[in-house]
Amino acid sequence: MSYKCSRCKRDVQLDEYGGVRCPYCGHRVLLKERSRDVKEVGVR
């Protein structure tokens, strides 16, 4: 899954055993990348 560091803005790939920390700057706040797909919501 792809994340972006909130401090240095670099892309970060997390493995399943690694901690939640940017390997480039050590910051612990990572933002999940949103998909660019457009979703339609039906109204009932």
Side-chain angles (χ1 to χ4, degrees):
M1 184 153 298
S2 179
Y3 293 89
K4 187 171 289 231
C5 176
S6 67
R7 180 183 287 164
C8 69
K9 307 294 188 236
R10 294 178 80 172
D11 290 328
V12 176
Q13 296 291 330
L14 297 181
D15 59 1
E16 60 186 73
Y17 300 108
V20 180
R21 187 177 292 261
C22 176
Y24 306 106
C25 70
H27 197 60
R28 297 183 71 186
V29 178
L30 301 177
L31 306 172
K32 187 175 180 181
E33 290 289 308
R34 292 181 177 225
S35 69
R36 296 177 187 242
D37 298 336
V38 176
K39 297 180 182 178
E40 293 185 22
V41 178
V43 179
R44 291 185 179 194

